[in-house]
């Protein structure tokens, strides 16, 4: 009996000890689980409620940093701008701002120029960075891309400066000429000569103001709001009629041809102005007794057929360095010749904007001393596209393919051109 009692007592003691040990192990395990670790500081969701949702709808690039400068949250735009790399904020000035804000709690803002990623050019990315505390441990960085806004501001500033200069020239000339007329009141021949010069300068001023109005109109108006099918031959006839007097004065022959019965989709007034500017330039920059050709054709494109209208001249041509800038506002290849012809430097800028707003483009081929070909490419109207589908074997009115073209006349010989004096 004594032995059995001893064994039972020993088993009871062992059971009690096992229970105590298990309870202690459980308590220790709970305590360890509640204790923060180095990993949990960065992986647990520490953003205040609702902040993640707000950051996802912001247009600015957003980055949230913790007390160790690790990135807790970053928007896709922040990665696209190159602000975050390898889980760290890669822009040192912004990182310093974040540390200063974490230390004193003050909101900071600065504008920076950052190198553009993925380009070998020296272009800079203009940004505005704003840092603010977010809770007790986090810092929020918001970055706004100002590159496009700065570019637009620079364009506006240059445009105002150019307009001021261009307006000042004829206005100043009119002022001087009026003084000359007053001083030569007793000399009828001088008065007549000065009055003729005044008429020339007044015409230049009128043309400049009108083209400024036209440029403003095509920039502000949506051409597709009043879009309609427009016959290409009517646009060509209107452009030729606009330049008939200048061409007749210089004995320039104007020949119109190409595929007939073509239609483009767009605003008739803007398209007429664009093609008229191209024909007028061709006449103004061509020597006397030469030829200006206007031809149209249909070309296939993945998004639907397009119409190409080419204006070819035998003028002075354009150098390679000038071809890159001729569509800029107020840029002139030959300023002296522009003064003689009354050019304002806005005609090709209007053509480029009209083409782009209609879903097309304008291109140029030119060689110095051989002439130039400006090609206006526009989407074809649906009705004309249906007619083209009925005759897929012909791509020109004369049935000639477009593979055998010379660089001077990209449409080949004009089929049965209508010669206009």
């Amino acid at each position: 009996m004594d032995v059995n009692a001893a064994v039972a007592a020993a088993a009871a003691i062992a059971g009690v000890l096992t229970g105590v040990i298990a309870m202690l192990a459980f308590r220790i395990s709970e305590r360890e689980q509640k204790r923060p670790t180095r990993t949990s500081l960065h992986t647990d969701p520490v953003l205040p409620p609702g902040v993640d949702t707000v950051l996802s709808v912001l247009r600015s690039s957003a980055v949230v940093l913790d007390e160790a400068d690790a990135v807790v949250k970053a928007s896709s735009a922040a990665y696209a701008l190159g602000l975050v790399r390898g889980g760290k904020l890669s822009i040192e000035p912004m990182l310093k701002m974040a540390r200063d804000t974490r230390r004193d709690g003050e909101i900071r803002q600065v504008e920076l120029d950052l190198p553009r990623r993925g380009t070998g050019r020296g272009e800079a990315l203009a940004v505005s960075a704003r840092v603010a505390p977010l809770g007790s441990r986090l810092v929020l960085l918001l970055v706004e891309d100002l590159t496009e806004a700065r570019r637009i501001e620079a364009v506006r500033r240059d445009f105002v400066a150019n307009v001021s200069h261009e307006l000042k020239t004829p206005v100043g000339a009119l002022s001087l000429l009026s003084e000359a007329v007053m001083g030569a009141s007793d000399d009828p021949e001088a008065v007549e000569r000065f009055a003729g010069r005044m008429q020339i300068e007044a015409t230049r001023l009128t043309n400049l103001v009108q083209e400024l109005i036209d440029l403003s109109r095509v920039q502000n108006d949506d051409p597709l709001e009043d879009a309609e099918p427009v016959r290409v031959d009517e646009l060509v006839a209107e452009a030729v009629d606009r330049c008939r007097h200048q061409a007749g004065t210089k004995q320039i022959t104007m020949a119109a041809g190409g595929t007939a019965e073509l239609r483009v989709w767009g605003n008739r007034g803007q398209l007429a102005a664009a093609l008229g500017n191209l024909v007028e330039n061709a006449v103004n920059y061509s020597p006397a007794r030469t030829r200006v050709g206007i031809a149209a054709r249909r070309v296939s494109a993945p998004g639907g057929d397009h119409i190409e209208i080419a204006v070819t001249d035998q003028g002075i041509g354009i150098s390679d360095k000038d071809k890159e800038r001729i569509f800029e506002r107020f840029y002139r290849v030959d300023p002296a010749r522009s003064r003689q012809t009354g050019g304002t430097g806005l005609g090709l800028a209007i053509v480029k904007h009209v083409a782009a707003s209609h879903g097309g483009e304008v291109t140029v081929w030119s060689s110095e001393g051989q002439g130039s070909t400006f090609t206006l490419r526009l989407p074809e109207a649906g009705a004309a596209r249906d007619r083209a589908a009925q005759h897929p074997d012909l791509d020109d009115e004369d049935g000639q393919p477009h593979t055998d073209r010379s660089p001077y006349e990209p449409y080949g010989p004009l089929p049965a051109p209508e010669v206009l004096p």
Side-chain angles (χ1 to χ4, degrees):
M1 293 295 295
D2 294 336
V3 174
N4 292 335
V7 172
I13 294 172
V16 172
L17 290 175
T18 301
V20 171
I21 292 173
M23 184 178 296
L24 291 174
F26 179 74
R27 294 290 179 86
I28 293 172
S29 176
E30 276 192 334
R31 188 178 298 115
E32 289 297 326
Q33 289 179 4
K34 292 181 178 179
R35 179 181 300 172
T37 62
R38 181 183 300 272
T39 304
S40 68
L41 287 175
H42 303 293
T43 59
D44 290 346
V46 293
L47 287 178
V51 172
D52 195 0
T53 303
V54 173
L55 295 182
S56 65
V57 299
L58 287 177
R59 296 180 60 183
S60 304
S61 303
V63 181
V64 179
L65 304 176
D66 63 11
E67 65 271 20
D69 292 335
V71 176
V72 176
K73 175 72 176 179
S75 64
S76 58
Y79 287 98
L81 287 178
L83 304 179
V84 178
R85 298 177 187 174
K88 294 287 186 180
L89 186 63
S90 61
I91 309 300
E92 187 60 33
M94 296 181 186
L95 189 58
K96 183 179 183 303
M97 288 173 57
R99 291 169 179 169
D100 294 341
T101 296
R102 187 185 301 112
R103 184 182 64 253
D104 55 25
E106 292 185 5
I107 298 176
R108 290 176 168 80
Q109 184 169 351
V110 68
E111 292 188 2
L112 301 170
D113 290 332
L114 308 179
R116 191 183 295 270
R117 295 182 63 188
T119 62
R121 297 170 294 178
E123 298 179 355
L125 193 68
V127 299
S128 174
R130 184 179 180 86
V131 180
L134 185 64
S136 58
R137 295 189 300 146
L138 305 179
V139 173
L140 173 63
L141 171 67
L142 296 177
V143 179
E144 188 78 21
D145 188 355
L146 304 178
T147 307
E148 184 65 14
R150 285 193 179 181
R151 187 192 68 81
I152 293 175
E153 176 62 22
V155 170
R156 186 196 65 80
R157 187 169 54 249
D158 292 343
F159 180 70
V160 171
N162 287 332
V163 168
S164 301
H165 174 75
E166 296 295 332
L167 289 175
K168 184 171 62 176
T169 301
V171 170
L174 286 173
S175 177
L176 292 175
L177 289 170
S178 64
E179 293 179 3
V181 169
M182 293 178 63
S185 57
D186 55 347
D187 187 348
E189 293 184 0
V191 170
E192 184 177 356
R193 183 172 67 253
F194 292 142
R197 291 290 306 278
M198 290 178 69
Q199 287 182 337
I200 294 174
E201 295 299 331
T203 301
R204 287 186 57 196
L205 183 59
T206 302
N207 293 339
L208 177 58
V209 172
Q210 184 59 51
E211 292 204 346
L212 285 172
I213 294 173
D214 293 341
L215 181 60
S216 176
R217 182 180 294 115
V218 299
Q219 286 180 329
N220 295 329
D221 294 346
D222 183 1
L224 301 184
E225 288 184 357
D226 301 321
E228 60 179 333
V230 181
R231 290 174 56 95
V232 173
D233 52 359
E234 292 179 358
L235 294 177
V236 172
E238 188 173 337
V240 169
D241 187 64
R242 167 178 167 178
C243 304
R244 190 182 303 275
H245 176 71
Q246 297 96 310
T249 302
K250 300 173 67 174
Q251 300 180 16
I252 292 177
T253 300
M254 290 193 290
T259 306
E261 296 298 325
L262 297 177
R263 286 178 171 84
V264 293
W265 184 259
N267 182 288
R268 179 184 179 85
Q270 292 189 15
L271 294 174
L275 184 58
N277 286 345
L278 292 180
V279 176
E280 186 175 22
N281 273 3
V283 171
N284 288 337
Y285 287 91
S286 293
R289 293 178 293 279
T290 55
R291 176 176 177 270
V292 171
I294 308 139
R297 67 169 181 172
R298 179 186 297 110
V299 295
S300 299
D305 291 349
H306 281 65
I307 303 300
E308 288 187 349
I309 309 171
V311 179
T312 303
D313 64 58
Q314 297 172 310
I316 59 177
I318 306 169
S319 65
D320 290 337
K321 65 180 182 67
D322 288 323
K323 279 190 287 188
E324 298 179 357
R325 301 191 58 190
I326 55 174
F327 294 103
E328 295 179 11
R329 300 167 183 170
F330 298 110
Y331 185 79
R332 299 181 179 89
V333 174
D334 187 351
R337 191 178 186 91
S338 294
R339 284 193 294 269
Q340 296 174 3
T341 61
T344 63
L346 290 174
L348 291 180
I350 293 174
V351 174
K352 180 180 179 180
H353 193 88
V354 169
S357 63
H358 282 75
E361 62 177 350
V362 58
T363 58
V364 58
W365 174 91
S366 185
S367 179
E368 290 186 271
Q370 298 185 33
S372 306
T373 297
F374 285 85
T375 303
L376 186 62
R377 179 177 176 141
L378 300 164
E380 184 179 15
R385 192 155 52 241
D386 294 339
R387 283 194 300 275
Q390 298 174 6
H391 305 281
D393 54 330
L394 297 180
D395 57 356
D396 257 349
E397 189 179 36
D398 59 353
Q400 296 296 323
H402 298 306
T403 55
D404 187 18
R405 309 292 188 189
S406 67
Y408 174 66
E409 290 188 352
Y411 301 109
L414 297 176
E418 176 191 357
V419 178
L420 304 163

